[in-house]
Amino acid sequence: MKGLLTYNPVLLAFVATLFTWFVTALGASMVFFFKSINKKILNSMLGFAAGVMIAASFWSLLNPAIEMSETTLSHPWMPALIGFLAGGTFLFLIDRILPHLHMGLSIDKAEGVKTSWQRSILLVLAITLHNIPEGLAVGVAFGALGNNPDLGTLAGAITLALGIGLQNFPEGAAVSIPLRREGFSRFKAFTYGQLSGVVEPISAVIGAFLVTAITPLLPYALSFAAGAMIFVVVEELIPESQTGGETDFSTIGVLLGFAVMMVLDVAFG
């Protein structure tokens, strides 16, 4: 692992999110084996993804941001507060502007600016919103190596990428299989499902480049990614996991996802 410290943090962020994208594709490939998915399982998957993102927001992003500021600021919570609210606001604006449609809804329920885009495109854009903060979080975590190139920082970044990848598998399946139910062919559902993860390497490179180029931005960027992820959890993942009345399964999924990510980060990060 120590040899990885010699590589450019932006390159490491890109490679790490190629891995998370690959895991999304693996999950999406489940559509070739299953035409439908039990609602209890789907809600559990979405809940698990939400739990991982909640845990990662604190253990991998907010807490390190506060620790970084303790030695330089009298109010070390300030960058975390500003970045967290800015990240949430950023996703709120994207949610209001970007045309998208959530699974199971009619096209007249599309959100964002009005458009004549096809239903399939609007569905994929809704899924893509989930992945922007995930890629950004991994990118910023690896970008921290530019300021603090030690094994602890590297281990934390790798752990975060593993956690995001872990929740991307059920998330990929939770995307492609419902698309199949919407009437898509298996191949088309898989293609759209895995394409939802392509935004992760893009946002990771942007995040890593910014924090390596502007070092004081790091605690704000970590917190920004946390705020963006929490927005996605509350606005998208938890409400979608609670549909159909199977709330117990989604709640258990959240608890398991949080526990898994917490163990990964504390034990290995």
Side-chain angles (χ1 to χ4, degrees):
M1 183 184 291
K2 191 173 182 179
L4 292 176
L5 293 174
T6 61
Y7 288 89
N8 186 298
V10 178
L11 176 61
L12 291 176
F14 178 69
V15 172
T17 43
L18 285 181
F19 162 75
T20 62
W21 181 14
F22 173 72
V23 179
T24 301
L26 281 181
S29 71
M30 292 299 101
V31 75
F32 293 112
F33 305 98
F34 306 98
K35 185 175 181 179
S36 62
I37 184 169
N38 184 279
K39 190 61 179 174
K40 294 177 182 178
I41 296 175
L42 177 61
N43 285 356
S44 299
M45 286 178 172
L46 293 172
F48 183 87
V52 168
M53 291 176 71
I54 293 170
S57 294
F58 176 74
W59 298 104
S60 298
L61 301 170
L62 283 174
N63 193 49
I66 294 171
E67 290 178 348
M68 288 175 188
S69 304
E70 285 179 341
T71 58
T72 57
L73 299 175
S74 57
H75 300 294
W77 47 266
M78 186 65 72
L81 174 64
I82 294 173
F84 184 80
L85 294 178
T89 301
F90 175 71
L91 258 292
F92 171 78
L93 293 175
I94 290 182
D95 187 67
R96 286 300 184 92
I97 295 171
L98 185 69
H100 61 283
L101 176 67
H102 298 295
M103 292 287 181
L105 298 181
S106 59
I107 196 164
D108 62 299
K109 301 292 186 182
E111 300 179 16
V113 298
K114 299 299 181 182
T115 178
S116 59
W117 291 350
Q118 293 181 356
R119 175 183 176 84
S120 58
I121 295 176
L122 294 175
L123 287 169
V124 173
L125 286 175
I127 299 156
T128 302
L129 278 174
H130 295 183
N131 294 307
I132 293 174
E134 295 173 12
L136 183 63
V138 174
V140 170
F142 276 96
L145 290 169
N147 180 54
N148 187 26
D150 62 26
L151 286 177
T153 304
L154 177 61
I158 292 175
T159 299
L160 178 59
L162 287 174
I164 295 297
L166 183 65
Q167 64 95 36
N168 273 0
F169 184 87
E171 195 174 68
V175 169
S176 63
I177 296 176
L179 283 177
R180 171 66 173 159
R181 195 170 61 240
E182 291 273 348
F184 289 42
S185 68
R186 293 183 189 276
F187 182 76
K188 192 173 182 181
F190 165 75
T191 300
Y192 283 161
Q194 62 86 24
L195 272 178
S196 68
V198 72
V199 72
E200 290 191 4
I202 297 171
S203 53
V205 168
I206 293 172
F209 175 77
L210 285 175
V211 297
T212 52
I214 312 172
T215 300
L217 190 65
L218 181 55
Y220 295 93
L222 288 167
S223 306
F224 183 95
M229 288 214 293
I230 292 297
F231 180 91
V232 167
V233 168
V234 177
E235 172 73 10
E236 310 285 350
L237 288 179
I238 288 181
E240 289 181 12
S241 73
Q242 298 279 322
T243 59
E246 306 294 350
T247 58
D248 287 345
F249 289 91
S250 59
T251 301
I252 292 171
V254 170
L255 293 174
L256 289 176
F258 186 97
V260 168
M261 187 64 213
M262 179 178 64
V263 170
L264 281 175
D265 210 307
V266 175
F268 303 108

